[in-house]
Amino acid sequence: MRTALAIDIGGTKLAAGVIDASGQVLASERLTTVRMNTADELFETLGQLSRRVLRATAARPQSIGVGCSGPMQYPAGIVSPLNIPVWRGFPLRERLSSTFGLACVVDGDAKALALGERWRGAGRGSNNMLGMVVSTGVGGGIILDGRLLHGNLGNAGHVGHIVVWPNGPLCGCGTRGCVEGIASGSGLARRLDEALKLGTRSCLTPGSTAADIADAARQGDLLAVELFRTAGEAVGRGIASAAALLDLELVAIGGSIALRAWDLLGPPLERELRNTARLDFTRSVRVVQAELGDDAGLFGAAQLAFALL
Ligand SMILES: [Zn+2]
């Protein structure tokens, strides 16, 4: 049976797996804290991780599929992930292909999540869906009329940079009021620090993570509750715009914040989506959590690899 080396690269994590065409994961491993001091150090860590999962199974993959956070040049596989500063114009596809002697495709991590959820998760059977990642950043991948959309440079689906709050918080892209600047892990942390600097009362201290903010919100900290309410609203507004533009059936949301803080993100998201999506075809869009959890990107990366053969 065909097998693929599947790789998922996010702002703070690396994952690799060997997956066969039936969807069985033969081996996989995930690193959640990764040293990213230089471009080569990060690539070496990825290479070692990949060699370990290859050694853990007798299967010999025929191709490599990678989901990497954006932006990037597709199909060249030259990546400049916003949340991985040491990789700017990094030739990831070429480096992986020559290291392992296999054909390789590199695409967006959220595009991979969309493919993975459609193959094995919440999007099974859907030909018109948006896969979203709400994590260190906010990304998206669009499947329309049954096909993954790429766009001019392969970056179709960057829903994280839809502006939903004019003159709102600064986003990593340099614009104010993007979904990502408000609802991503880095956006939540930045907004917390700014509110604390302005003297807003909270049990949290500067430098807290999105997970800390979620814990504080669950304990009733008013600032933390407010940060998550506005985050959910921002995602809901972004989805309403995407649904109007694309006529979507389904939105499947994965990524660490969506997976581990849905109790905080989901209710304001749904409320704001119902407030802003007023057309018949936008009202009917369903928003669900990604079903494959942290593995969605790996399944999608495997799909990318199989499409190469
Ligand atoms: Zn932005």
Side-chain angles (χ1 to χ4, degrees):
M1 192 183 304
R2 288 184 303 168
T3 56
L5 172 60
I7 294 172
D8 185 18
I9 302 171
T12 53
K13 62 113 204 298
L14 295 177
V18 177
I19 298 177
D20 73 19
S22 73
Q24 210 185 334
V25 180
L26 305 174
S28 75
E29 189 181 330
R30 172 177 308 276
L31 302 176
T32 48
T33 49
V34 182
R35 282 161 54 91
M36 298 185 178
N37 294 329
T38 68
D40 283 335
E41 180 187 45
L42 177 56
F43 184 77
E44 186 49 36
T45 304
L46 176 63
Q48 286 166 2
L49 173 71
S50 301
R51 280 189 281 273
R52 280 200 300 277
V53 297
L54 287 170
R55 274 199 301 270
T57 166
R60 286 289 153 257
Q62 296 87 35
S63 55
I64 307 171
V66 184
C68 182
S69 57
M72 69 178 57
Q73 291 172 41
Y74 173 91
I78 297 171
V79 303
S80 306
L82 216 50
N83 295 301
I84 305 179
V86 294
W87 278 0
R88 285 293 171 268
F90 187 78
L92 182 60
R93 188 182 71 85
E94 193 189 302
R95 292 284 298 267
L96 280 169
S97 190
S98 64
T99 299
F100 292 97
L102 294 172
C104 176
V105 55
V106 175
D107 209 332
D109 58 344
K111 288 165 76 180
L113 176 133
L115 284 176
E117 284 294 320
R118 183 173 181 240
W119 183 29
R120 307 285 296 173
R124 265 173 292 196
S126 177
N127 283 327
N128 295 289
M129 64 171 283
L130 170 68
M132 265 183 96
V133 173
V134 182
S135 183
T136 312
V138 173
I142 300 161
I143 291 168
L144 215 58
D145 299 329
R147 292 207 326 266
L148 180 68
L149 299 191
H150 296 293
N152 186 34
L153 296 172
N155 293 297
H158 268 62
V159 289
H161 302 282
I162 293 178
V163 173
V164 292
W165 183 347
N167 298 314
L170 194 60
C171 176
C173 75
T175 297
R176 288 190 175 277
C178 295
V179 175
E180 176 163 313
I182 302 161
S184 68
S186 50
L188 283 164
R190 208 159 38 221
R191 291 168 61 210
L192 172 75
D193 288 353
E194 274 164 26
L196 292 175
K197 219 181 288 170
L198 292 171
T200 312
R201 291 180 55 159
S202 169
C203 68
L204 289 159
T205 52
S208 298
T209 65
D212 300 329
I213 300 171
D215 287 342
R218 291 188 189 106
Q219 284 157 27
D221 183 87
L222 290 181
L223 174 58
V225 167
E226 173 71 6
L227 289 171
F228 264 98
R229 180 182 65 79
T230 45
E233 286 175 359
V235 176
R237 238 172 262 158
I239 289 173
S241 297
L245 189 68
L246 300 170
D247 193 357
L248 300 168
E249 175 191 19
L250 177 78
V251 180
I253 312 185
S256 58
I257 293 181
L259 294 174
R260 289 182 255 292
W262 190 255
D263 56 323
L264 300 167
L265 194 75
L269 185 164
E270 274 290 336
R271 213 167 41 238
E272 187 63 13
L273 176 61
R274 298 308 151 204
N275 279 339
T276 45
R278 299 291 185 125
L279 299 162
D280 282 345
F281 74 92
T282 58
R283 263 207 302 259
S284 63
V285 68
R286 282 188 302 122
V287 179
V288 298
Q289 269 181 294
E291 280 180 11
L292 298 172
D294 292 321
D295 289 335
L298 281 184
F299 280 102
Q303 285 288 81
L304 291 168
F306 294 138
L308 269 182
L309 299 172

PDB file of all heavy atoms in Angstrom, residues 191-192 194-204 222-223:
ATOM      1  N   ARG A 191      -2.371  41.193  23.501  1.00  0.00           N
ATOM      2  CA  ARG A 191      -3.463  42.048  23.988  1.00  0.00           C
ATOM      3  C   ARG A 191      -3.505  42.064  25.511  1.00  0.00           C
ATOM      4  O   ARG A 191      -3.828  43.077  26.123  1.00  0.00           O
ATOM      5  CB  ARG A 191      -4.796  41.562  23.421  1.00  0.00           C
ATOM      6  CG  ARG A 191      -4.920  41.789  21.921  1.00  0.00           C
ATOM      7  CD  ARG A 191      -6.107  41.032  21.368  1.00  0.00           C
ATOM      8  NE  ARG A 191      -7.345  41.483  21.967  1.00  0.00           N
ATOM      9  CZ  ARG A 191      -8.426  40.726  22.155  1.00  0.00           C
ATOM     10  NH1 ARG A 191      -8.407  39.465  21.796  1.00  0.00           N
ATOM     11  NH2 ARG A 191      -9.500  41.230  22.688  1.00  0.00           N
ATOM     12  N   LEU A 192      -3.168  40.921  26.122  1.00  0.00           N
ATOM     13  CA  LEU A 192      -3.101  40.876  27.589  1.00  0.00           C
ATOM     14  C   LEU A 192      -2.039  41.855  28.087  1.00  0.00           C
ATOM     15  O   LEU A 192      -2.290  42.675  28.976  1.00  0.00           O
ATOM     16  CB  LEU A 192      -2.768  39.462  28.079  1.00  0.00           C
ATOM     17  CG  LEU A 192      -2.487  39.388  29.586  1.00  0.00           C
ATOM     18  CD1 LEU A 192      -3.788  39.493  30.369  1.00  0.00           C
ATOM     19  CD2 LEU A 192      -1.743  38.121  29.968  1.00  0.00           C
ATOM     20  N   GLU A 194      -0.789  44.445  26.690  1.00  0.00           N
ATOM     21  CA  GLU A 194      -1.172  45.847  26.482  1.00  0.00           C
ATOM     22  C   GLU A 194      -2.193  46.301  27.520  1.00  0.00           C
ATOM     23  O   GLU A 194      -2.100  47.411  28.054  1.00  0.00           O
ATOM     24  CB  GLU A 194      -1.717  46.038  25.061  1.00  0.00           C
ATOM     25  CG  GLU A 194      -0.602  46.307  24.068  1.00  0.00           C
ATOM     26  CD  GLU A 194      -1.027  46.119  22.626  1.00  0.00           C
ATOM     27  OE1 GLU A 194      -2.231  46.275  22.347  1.00  0.00           O
ATOM     28  OE2 GLU A 194      -0.145  45.831  21.801  1.00  0.00           O
ATOM     29  N   ALA A 195      -3.166  45.442  27.812  1.00  0.00           N
ATOM     30  CA  ALA A 195      -4.188  45.808  28.795  1.00  0.00           C
ATOM     31  C   ALA A 195      -3.565  45.978  30.182  1.00  0.00           C
ATOM     32  O   ALA A 195      -3.920  46.898  30.935  1.00  0.00           O
ATOM     33  CB  ALA A 195      -5.287  44.749  28.828  1.00  0.00           C
ATOM     34  N   LEU A 196      -2.597  45.100  30.526  1.00  0.00           N
ATOM     35  CA  LEU A 196      -1.937  45.201  31.833  1.00  0.00           C
ATOM     36  C   LEU A 196      -1.132  46.488  31.923  1.00  0.00           C
ATOM     37  O   LEU A 196      -1.110  47.165  32.960  1.00  0.00           O
ATOM     38  CB  LEU A 196      -1.030  43.978  32.065  1.00  0.00           C
ATOM     39  CG  LEU A 196      -1.745  42.633  32.240  1.00  0.00           C
ATOM     40  CD1 LEU A 196      -0.728  41.503  32.345  1.00  0.00           C
ATOM     41  CD2 LEU A 196      -2.660  42.640  33.469  1.00  0.00           C
ATOM     42  N   LYS A 197      -0.487  46.841  30.799  1.00  0.00           N
ATOM     43  CA  LYS A 197       0.315  48.069  30.761  1.00  0.00           C
ATOM     44  C   LYS A 197      -0.573  49.294  31.009  1.00  0.00           C
ATOM     45  O   LYS A 197      -0.152  50.279  31.598  1.00  0.00           O
ATOM     46  CB  LYS A 197       1.012  48.179  29.391  1.00  0.00           C
ATOM     47  CG  LYS A 197       2.434  48.708  29.467  1.00  0.00           C
ATOM     48  CD  LYS A 197       3.069  48.828  28.091  1.00  0.00           C
ATOM     49  CE  LYS A 197       3.412  47.489  27.471  1.00  0.00           C
ATOM     50  NZ  LYS A 197       3.808  47.602  26.042  1.00  0.00           N
ATOM     51  N   LEU A 198      -1.814  49.206  30.540  1.00  0.00           N
ATOM     52  CA  LEU A 198      -2.755  50.323  30.721  1.00  0.00           C
ATOM     53  C   LEU A 198      -3.394  50.308  32.112  1.00  0.00           C
ATOM     54  O   LEU A 198      -4.222  51.156  32.429  1.00  0.00           O
ATOM     55  CB  LEU A 198      -3.852  50.271  29.652  1.00  0.00           C
ATOM     56  CG  LEU A 198      -3.398  50.547  28.216  1.00  0.00           C
ATOM     57  CD1 LEU A 198      -4.515  50.263  27.222  1.00  0.00           C
ATOM     58  CD2 LEU A 198      -2.898  51.982  28.073  1.00  0.00           C
ATOM     59  N   GLY A 199      -3.024  49.291  32.912  1.00  0.00           N
ATOM     60  CA  GLY A 199      -3.504  49.274  34.297  1.00  0.00           C
ATOM     61  C   GLY A 199      -4.767  48.467  34.530  1.00  0.00           C
ATOM     62  O   GLY A 199      -5.349  48.527  35.621  1.00  0.00           O
ATOM     63  N   THR A 200      -5.220  47.695  33.529  1.00  0.00           N
ATOM     64  CA  THR A 200      -6.408  46.860  33.729  1.00  0.00           C
ATOM     65  C   THR A 200      -6.113  45.808  34.791  1.00  0.00           C
ATOM     66  O   THR A 200      -5.049  45.191  34.770  1.00  0.00           O
ATOM     67  CB  THR A 200      -6.803  46.163  32.410  1.00  0.00           C
ATOM     68  OG1 THR A 200      -6.821  47.129  31.370  1.00  0.00           O
ATOM     69  CG2 THR A 200      -8.165  45.507  32.528  1.00  0.00           C
ATOM     70  N   ARG A 201      -7.060  45.605  35.686  1.00  0.00           N
ATOM     71  CA  ARG A 201      -6.827  44.649  36.774  1.00  0.00           C
ATOM     72  C   ARG A 201      -7.040  43.216  36.301  1.00  0.00           C
ATOM     73  O   ARG A 201      -7.968  42.933  35.541  1.00  0.00           O
ATOM     74  CB  ARG A 201      -7.759  44.957  37.944  1.00  0.00           C
ATOM     75  CG  ARG A 201      -7.383  46.265  38.624  1.00  0.00           C
ATOM     76  CD  ARG A 201      -8.308  46.553  39.769  1.00  0.00           C
ATOM     77  NE  ARG A 201      -8.329  45.422  40.718  1.00  0.00           N
ATOM     78  CZ  ARG A 201      -8.706  45.555  41.970  1.00  0.00           C
ATOM     79  NH1 ARG A 201      -9.068  46.729  42.431  1.00  0.00           N
ATOM     80  NH2 ARG A 201      -8.721  44.517  42.777  1.00  0.00           N
ATOM     81  N   SER A 202      -6.161  42.343  36.760  1.00  0.00           N
ATOM     82  CA  SER A 202      -6.240  40.931  36.377  1.00  0.00           C
ATOM     83  C   SER A 202      -5.339  40.126  37.294  1.00  0.00           C
ATOM     84  O   SER A 202      -4.379  40.657  37.860  1.00  0.00           O
ATOM     85  CB  SER A 202      -5.773  40.770  34.929  1.00  0.00           C
ATOM     86  OG  SER A 202      -5.610  39.394  34.614  1.00  0.00           O
ATOM     87  N   CYS A 203      -5.639  38.826  37.432  1.00  0.00           N
ATOM     88  CA  CYS A 203      -4.742  37.964  38.205  1.00  0.00           C
ATOM     89  C   CYS A 203      -3.533  37.550  37.369  1.00  0.00           C
ATOM     90  O   CYS A 203      -2.595  36.945  37.873  1.00  0.00           O
ATOM     91  CB  CYS A 203      -5.503  36.725  38.695  1.00  0.00           C
ATOM     92  SG  CYS A 203      -5.994  35.610  37.374  1.00  0.00           S
ATOM     93  N   LEU A 204      -3.561  37.867  36.083  1.00  0.00           N
ATOM     94  CA  LEU A 204      -2.482  37.452  35.174  1.00  0.00           C
ATOM     95  C   LEU A 204      -1.325  38.452  35.190  1.00  0.00           C
ATOM     96  O   LEU A 204      -1.509  39.627  35.508  1.00  0.00           O
ATOM     97  CB  LEU A 204      -3.022  37.318  33.749  1.00  0.00           C
ATOM     98  CG  LEU A 204      -3.958  36.133  33.525  1.00  0.00           C
ATOM     99  CD1 LEU A 204      -4.830  36.359  32.299  1.00  0.00           C
ATOM    100  CD2 LEU A 204      -3.153  34.849  33.393  1.00  0.00           C
ATOM    101  N   LEU A 222     -11.923  38.831  34.908  1.00  0.00           N
ATOM    102  CA  LEU A 222     -12.738  39.619  33.970  1.00  0.00           C
ATOM    103  C   LEU A 222     -11.982  39.974  32.693  1.00  0.00           C
ATOM    104  O   LEU A 222     -12.535  39.942  31.592  1.00  0.00           O
ATOM    105  CB  LEU A 222     -13.249  40.899  34.648  1.00  0.00           C
ATOM    106  CG  LEU A 222     -14.312  40.676  35.730  1.00  0.00           C
ATOM    107  CD1 LEU A 222     -14.758  42.004  36.323  1.00  0.00           C
ATOM    108  CD2 LEU A 222     -15.524  39.918  35.156  1.00  0.00           C
ATOM    109  N   LEU A 223     -10.683  40.319  32.834  1.00  0.00           N
ATOM    110  CA  LEU A 223      -9.906  40.661  31.638  1.00  0.00           C
ATOM    111  C   LEU A 223      -9.764  39.439  30.732  1.00  0.00           C
ATOM    112  O   LEU A 223      -9.942  39.531  29.509  1.00  0.00           O
ATOM    113  CB  LEU A 223      -8.524  41.196  32.046  1.00  0.00           C
ATOM    114  CG  LEU A 223      -7.548  41.455  30.893  1.00  0.00           C
ATOM    115  CD1 LEU A 223      -8.129  42.445  29.876  1.00  0.00           C
ATOM    116  CD2 LEU A 223      -6.204  41.964  31.423  1.00  0.00           C
TER     117      LEU A 223
END
